[in-house]
Amino acid sequence: GLFKTTDAGTRWRQLDIDFPDAPVIAPSNPQVLYQPPAGNGLLRSRDGGRRWRRSASARQVGRCGSGFVIDPADPMVLYCGSDHGVLVSRNGGTRWRVLPGSPTDVWVMAIGPGPGTCLVVATREHGLRRFDGVAWAPMATPEGPAITDLQIVDGDGRVLYASLADRLVRTTDGGASWQALPSAWPRFSLSTFAVDRRASDVVFAGGSAGLFVSEDGGSTCARRMTGI
């Protein structure tokens, strides 16, 4: 089921809803959540996950299938990856269009927290690509297994974290070079991670060994499992 914490992982409570994937929280309004598009369409909550309504049907979300993100300034502006390119909706998911020149076969996507549009996507055939709101450009891809998740920490996309199945890596130069987080992090099957947008040194990672939290940018970490 779906669990929620409001104290950085110290305590958790279960919400009365069952989703196959974690919801995506709108950066500009944490009470607005979306359940990424699937066979039942696109679901949206305006009260922090207590009640949900269908924002778009499966037919309306159409080809949207992977890498779902929300614009940091507007909870109605959504981006999603597809086999045909990166799709954008500006009305909460009812209508979508393809961004010109976007790469195809996208499976992971991240959006920057600052003003303007900074998108980074991982593709199966073209590696990492960055979009600055005008044009797309290639980025160096970290060595190792395929990227399973991405997060941009700063507004211009120079600081990024990526998960590679069993470890987290980080770049501070826009992807020119990547470094694995120190060995203090346990090696386990990594299913999800997140960086606190208000404090970029706070990193959460979850997987087969539980939930781990770092408060120093990944140099050290502690297990946080109370209530889970």
Side-chain angles (χ1 to χ4, degrees):
L2 179 63
F3 287 76
K4 179 178 179 179
T5 179
T6 57
D7 54 15
T10 300
R11 292 169 297 181
W12 295 81
R13 65 184 179 90
Q14 188 172 10
L15 300 181
D16 186 22
I17 195 165
D18 186 17
F19 284 152
D21 299 302
V24 181
I25 303 172
S28 60
N29 183 355
Q31 293 299 305
V32 177
L33 292 78
Y34 286 89
Q35 176 63 16
N40 58 353
L42 179 67
L43 302 180
R44 180 172 62 200
S45 172
R46 297 178 181 270
D47 57 9
R50 293 184 180 88
R51 295 180 297 272
W52 294 80
R53 290 187 177 180
R54 196 176 310 280
S55 178
S57 67
R59 181 186 62 80
Q60 288 171 313
V61 294
R63 298 169 296 178
C64 186
S66 61
F68 181 85
V69 295
I70 306 171
D71 188 283
D74 188 342
M76 296 295 286
V77 178
L78 316 173
Y79 297 88
C80 188
S82 77
D83 293 342
H84 305 277
V86 176
L87 308 177
V88 60
S89 172
R90 302 192 181 280
N91 58 2
T94 302
R95 293 185 300 275
W96 298 83
R97 67 177 181 86
V98 178
L99 287 177
S102 61
T104 59
D105 208 9
V106 173
W107 84 87
V108 176
M109 184 186 310
I111 190 167
T117 301
C118 177
L119 286 173
V120 174
V121 302
T123 69
R124 289 181 173 84
E125 295 185 0
H126 306 288
L128 290 177
R129 296 287 176 128
R130 181 204 303 270
F131 180 64
D132 61 5
V134 178
W136 293 87
M139 293 176 59
T141 303
E143 296 182 0
I147 293 174
T148 57
D149 203 357
L150 283 167
Q151 186 167 342
I152 305 172
V153 176
D154 61 341
D156 59 6
R158 293 189 60 80
V159 181
L160 292 87
Y161 286 81
S163 59
L164 305 180
D166 62 348
R167 65 185 182 274
L168 285 174
V169 296
R170 176 178 57 201
T171 179
T172 58
D173 53 17
S177 61
W178 293 84
Q179 303 82 35
L181 293 192
S183 58
W185 285 83
R187 293 293 181 259
F188 57 86
S189 177
L190 186 66
S191 58
T192 187
F193 81 97
V195 181
D196 192 329
R197 293 187 183 276
R198 300 166 301 174
S200 59
D201 283 341
V202 179
V203 183
F204 298 83
S208 59
L211 176 69
F212 290 81
V213 183
S214 173
E215 296 181 354
D216 54 14
S219 296
T220 63
C221 64
R223 197 164 181 257
R224 294 261 184 95
M225 291 296 294
T226 302
I228 302 181

